[in-house]
Amino acid sequence: MKNCLMKKLLNPLKDIVKLSSLFFFLFIFKTFAQTDELKEIGFEKIELKSKSDTIVFIKSINKENKPKPVILFLQGSLPLPIVFKDEDGIFVSLPFKTTDYLSEYNLILISRKGIPFIGEFQEHSRGYKDKNGNVPIEYIKNDNLTYRTNQASEVVNFLYTQKWVDKKAIYIIGHSEGYRVAANVANKNKKIAKLVCLSADPFNRAAEEVLKIRIESFEKNTDSISQHTIESLTTDYLNIKNIAEYKSDFELYNWASYDEKLIYEIFKDVKIPILVAYGTNDLAAVHNDLLPFILKGKKDFFVKVYPDYDHNFFKNEYDKEGKFLEKSYNWDIVFSDIVNWLQKKKENKER
């Protein structure tokens, strides 16, 4: 099994700092002929087809074909392939060591619409672009909360029908943009057993941007200019009425689909256990500090905070004199904590 930790530290994919449900969707299940390399790293490719769409994802190989819990991981907003190849072979773009979980879980990762399943690592790890240097239009058209929610929900529906899935233990984890998608899926699809949301604003993108602008105004003493921008952002959000009106403009629809919903309102409606985890050195996640106040009294809601971790759970390490040494990679620590939480049946509040 390829150990990708060094790549995580040395490039934008791994060092990411630089870095309707369709109810009448008739699927045809097809397993592609797998490359030996993909099998060797413990995964296989699956395609779900209908007349109107094709959904591609990878799943960890379940040799015993016995029911096991599912971890469906939803990535953030970058147009990345879900499998990469380089001079050493191929590896999946999950940010944690998959070898630690292959025996106990079915790991699922969905390919982004319009992005090739496999990408060349050196060329595409900053985000896939076609030969003309453009992000594929098929990705742009489907890079919205509506499509991503439907896509993930249909994968869940498929998984629920499989003998190798423990139907009582289908878990969904979303990171960054995936935070919002995962929350939306869990609210719509009752087959989800637990929800984990990582590293995003629990309001919406507009609120995240307002916070960034306000903090910048403190540092640069630009309150008047900043206030004008904040009012504009706020007005844009308040004017979102029916996002279907924006469908002819893909980028506008993307924006409206994610800004229309305040995720903490979705949390109020979700009936299953929820874990929100984030680093304190992540400006995009600061508003999560307010969730215990907003959701006071909500049962089965838990918060896990990681001091000094950033958006992708890197941490600046210093020597005794305070000199910067390196960024430590802590996704494996965070994911281990998540799995421990998923395995618990009764819990106490975490803070």
Side-chain angles (χ1 to χ4, degrees):
M1 175 65 67
K2 173 187 282 290
N3 184 336
C4 301
L5 182 57
M6 289 306 295
K7 287 193 174 66
K8 290 184 173 100
L9 293 168
L10 295 175
N11 57 69
L13 173 62
K14 314 301 186 195
D15 183 359
I16 320 173
V17 177
K18 300 177 184 175
L19 294 111
S20 313
S21 176
L22 304 179
F23 292 108
F24 303 104
F25 211 92
L26 301 178
F27 287 123
I28 298 173
F29 169 49
K30 178 181 178 183
T31 303
F32 276 64
Q34 307 301 322
T35 66
D36 290 339
E37 288 179 302
L38 190 58
K39 288 182 179 179
E40 285 175 5
I41 62 173
F43 286 87
E44 60 186 342
K45 179 181 179 181
I46 291 185
E47 190 176 80
L48 303 179
K49 280 190 174 182
S50 77
K51 293 181 179 179
S52 59
D53 198 12
T54 299
I55 299 174
V56 178
F57 64 93
I58 55 172
K59 62 173 285 288
S60 53
I61 295 173
N62 187 338
K63 293 181 179 179
E64 302 84 5
N65 207 35
K66 65 180 182 180
K68 293 194 295 188
V70 166
I71 293 178
L72 169 57
F73 188 88
L74 300 179
Q75 296 172 304
S77 58
L78 290 177
L80 296 173
I82 58 172
V83 176
F84 280 99
K85 59 182 178 179
D86 63 9
E87 68 278 3
D88 298 320
I90 67 174
F91 55 94
V92 300
S93 57
L94 287 166
F96 52 89
K97 293 178 183 176
T98 59
T99 50
D100 295 343
Y101 307 101
L102 292 177
S103 63
E104 294 185 37
Y105 293 91
N106 295 299
L107 302 180
I108 309 294
L109 183 63
I110 303 173
S111 184
R112 297 302 299 272
K113 188 71 174 177
I115 302 301
F117 173 73
I118 297 179
E120 294 286 346
F121 184 73
Q122 294 299 327
E123 185 177 355
H124 302 135
S125 61
R126 293 180 181 273
Y128 178 85
K129 293 184 179 180
D130 61 25
K131 61 183 180 181
N132 296 317
N134 300 316
V135 176
I137 187 64
E138 194 68 13
Y139 172 86
I140 296 172
K141 287 167 58 177
N142 294 284
D143 183 25
N144 58 71
L145 182 61
T146 305
Y147 179 77
R148 290 201 70 187
T149 297
N150 291 335
Q151 183 192 52
S153 188
E154 292 305 334
V155 171
V156 170
N157 290 341
F158 165 77
L159 294 171
Y160 195 78
T161 67
Q162 302 305 300
K163 294 181 178 179
W164 40 268
V165 169
D166 180 350
K167 294 176 174 55
K168 296 181 179 179
I170 298 177
Y171 308 129
I172 188 165
I173 300 171
H175 176 256
S176 194
E177 181 180 278
Y179 175 122
R180 301 176 174 102
V181 180
N184 212 36
V185 175
N187 193 36
K188 292 177 177 294
N189 195 314
K190 306 310 176 186
K191 300 178 181 71
I192 306 295
K194 286 188 176 184
L195 166 66
V196 180
C197 293
L198 309 172
S199 304
D201 194 292
F203 291 79
N204 59 12
R205 288 175 172 175
E208 177 185 328
E209 190 65 22
V210 165
L211 178 63
K212 291 178 180 178
I213 293 169
R214 184 67 75 198
I215 290 176
E216 183 176 313
S217 74
F218 292 157
E219 297 172 345
K220 298 183 178 180
N221 195 25
T222 55
D223 283 4
S224 297
I225 298 173
S226 297
Q227 185 58 31
H228 176 76
T229 304
I230 288 171
E231 288 174 358
S232 178
L233 284 167
T234 305
T235 299
D236 287 344
Y237 160 69
L238 294 174
N239 284 335
I240 298 174
K241 304 298 181 185
N242 179 9
I243 64 171
E245 297 175 357
Y246 307 121
K247 279 203 168 181
S248 60
D249 186 324
F250 304 135
E251 294 184 355
L252 188 58
Y253 184 74
N254 172 303
W255 162 77
S257 71
Y258 283 105
D259 268 16
E260 176 193 32
K261 298 176 183 291
L262 299 177
I263 303 304
Y264 75 82
E265 294 285 359
I266 294 178
F267 289 155
K268 290 179 180 179
D269 294 334
V270 171
K271 306 302 181 185
I272 59 175
I274 302 171
L275 172 66
V276 172
Y278 58 99
T280 59
N281 193 25
D282 178 13
L283 187 55
V286 168
H287 281 144
N288 287 297
D289 287 335
L290 301 178
L291 289 177
F293 300 92
I294 296 171
L295 302 176
K296 181 181 179 182
K298 180 174 175 57
K299 295 181 179 179
D300 294 326
F301 182 82
F302 307 90
V303 174
K304 180 71 174 176
V305 183
Y306 292 90
D308 303 317
Y309 287 14
D310 68 11
H311 189 67
N312 288 286
F313 306 119
F314 282 85
K315 179 182 178 182
N316 291 338
E317 302 291 349
Y318 302 89
D319 63 19
K320 293 180 180 180
E321 285 71 41
K323 181 180 179 181
F324 174 76
L325 297 173
E326 63 178 357
K327 285 182 176 290
S328 62
Y329 186 82
N330 299 290
W331 251 109
D332 292 316
I333 294 173
V334 173
F335 200 78
S336 177
D337 291 344
I338 291 169
V339 170
N340 289 337
W341 179 80
L342 292 175
Q343 292 173 342
K344 292 179 182 178
K345 293 184 178 180
K346 293 183 179 180
E347 306 150 82
N348 296 317
K349 291 282 182 181
E350 295 189 52
R351 185 63 184 167

